[in-house]
Amino acid sequence: MRAISYSQFGGPEVLHVADVPVPEPGPGQVRVRVAASVVHPVDLMVRSGRFPAPLPTGLPYTPGWDVVGTVDAVGPSVEELAIGDEVIGFSPWLQTTVGAHAEYVVLDAAWLTSAPTGAPATEAATLPTNGLAAAQALDLLALPAGSTVLVTGAAGQVGGFVLALARATGLHATGLAGADDREFVESLGAAFLPRSGDPTGTFDAVIDLAVIGPSLLDLIRDGGGYVAASPPLRPEPVRGIRTFALEVRPDGSRLGELVKLVTSGDIPLRVAGVYPFADAAAAHDRLAQGGVRGGVVIVP
């Protein structure tokens, strides 16, 4: 099969299309014929050799977390999925180095769920990793309906999903973003706070996707909550404020709940561009330029 691969660290030019063996599913696993996947900032960091932690395997690597596709082989002990099922999910790449930028990928069945009906694969691929990151950030906070939450980096992929989920669950969100993103933030039912100067206000919780840092604790009421997108920057609790580090994990059941919200129109899906395998370097370049307001999608 074909897969995007690199055997040395460096710029986007190290990416190439390689012929690699087709993987076989083991117990509890399925093989998915990939229709679309997405490039994430962590893919660029690992490819350039700047990722600070050790990885479980060495080069060469096939990148890619999200997957949308069709089950084409089923391993032993899998009952919930069958050949021909259209599925969506993601690979926890930093733990497995199993990349989805390939024609086929083998994943645990528990990491997958049915793909959203009616959504093109290129759009559905933008949901798994970032959608679960948003959902799990809100799950950590466990805020009751009516609570207020400030979301920094609100116009990014995870931020947009947080705003949509906040609206769907009865929370009052405020999105901190650039002036050009005001219309998008408000379209998701959130109040807009411009990304200039020091943010102001008082909130029950903050989800800090822009990694502004501990200064945001001053905006949180006593006993509130704070989620850090970067685990090393999780601040020490003060005034009874609970602090959490966001580390997204695969969860087919939770993803299935998000798929229902996509189908009902409560969660929008955004695509910034679609690139074939041969143009993987261009996809990495596009994401590296910044200001991306949607998923950078890879298709076989």
Side-chain angles (χ1 to χ4, degrees):
M1 70 172 186
R2 296 180 307 130
I4 296 170
S5 180
Y6 55 96
S7 54
Q8 62 181 3
F9 297 119
E13 69 278 359
V14 302
L15 298 169
H16 61 278
V17 180
D19 289 321
V20 299
V22 176
E24 296 296 333
Q29 296 182 321
V30 300
R31 186 173 65 209
V32 179
R33 183 177 179 89
V34 178
S37 187
V38 169
V39 181
H40 291 284
V42 67
D43 293 319
L44 277 60
M45 184 180 294
V46 175
R47 185 216 68 225
S48 65
R50 294 184 292 111
F51 192 75
L55 296 170
T57 65
L59 292 163
Y61 293 136
T62 290
W65 296 56
D66 308 87
V67 63
V68 177
T70 306
V71 174
D72 92 312
V74 176
S77 305
V78 174
E79 298 179 354
E80 61 270 33
L81 295 173
I83 292 173
D85 286 350
E86 301 293 325
V87 294
I88 184 172
F90 86 88
S91 171
W93 195 93
L94 295 177
Q95 287 74 51
T96 67
T97 65
V98 173
H101 293 169
E103 291 182 311
Y104 296 91
V105 64
V106 166
L107 300 173
D108 287 5
W111 298 346
L112 302 167
T113 192
S114 297
T117 303
T122 50
E123 294 182 9
T126 66
L127 178 64
T129 304
N130 288 330
L132 280 172
Q136 290 168 9
L138 288 169
D139 291 345
L140 288 170
L141 293 169
L143 297 169
S147 299
T148 58
V149 57
L150 173 66
V151 182
T152 72
Q157 281 287 278
V158 179
F161 285 130
V162 172
L163 297 185
L165 283 170
R167 176 176 62 180
T169 53
L171 303 176
H172 300 297
T174 296
L176 181 69
D180 291 344
D181 295 310
R182 179 169 194 151
E183 182 178 354
F184 171 72
V185 168
E186 293 180 342
S187 75
L188 293 176
F192 173 76
L193 193 61
R195 188 184 60 216
S196 59
D198 295 326
T200 59
T202 302
F203 305 91
D204 294 313
V206 169
I207 297 177
D208 186 16
L209 302 173
V211 197
I212 293 174
S215 63
L216 294 173
L217 295 176
D218 294 338
L219 306 183
I220 303 174
R221 64 165 178 81
D222 293 355
Y226 173 94
V227 176
S230 176
L233 298 182
R234 173 185 175 182
E236 292 298 319
V238 296
R239 295 184 288 107
I241 294 172
R242 300 164 297 133
T243 64
F244 305 95
L246 179 60
E247 297 185 69
V248 63
R249 63 189 186 281
D251 184 339
S253 177
R254 191 71 172 96
L255 183 56
E257 297 171 5
L258 301 182
V259 167
K260 292 178 182 177
L261 292 172
V262 169
T263 303
S264 65
D266 290 304
I267 294 181
L269 302 175
R270 296 179 288 164
V271 175
V274 179
Y275 299 82
F277 278 8
D279 292 336
H284 279 229
D285 275 334
R286 175 67 185 92
L287 188 59
Q289 290 169 13
V292 175
R293 295 296 180 257
V296 176
V297 181
I298 297 283
V299 296

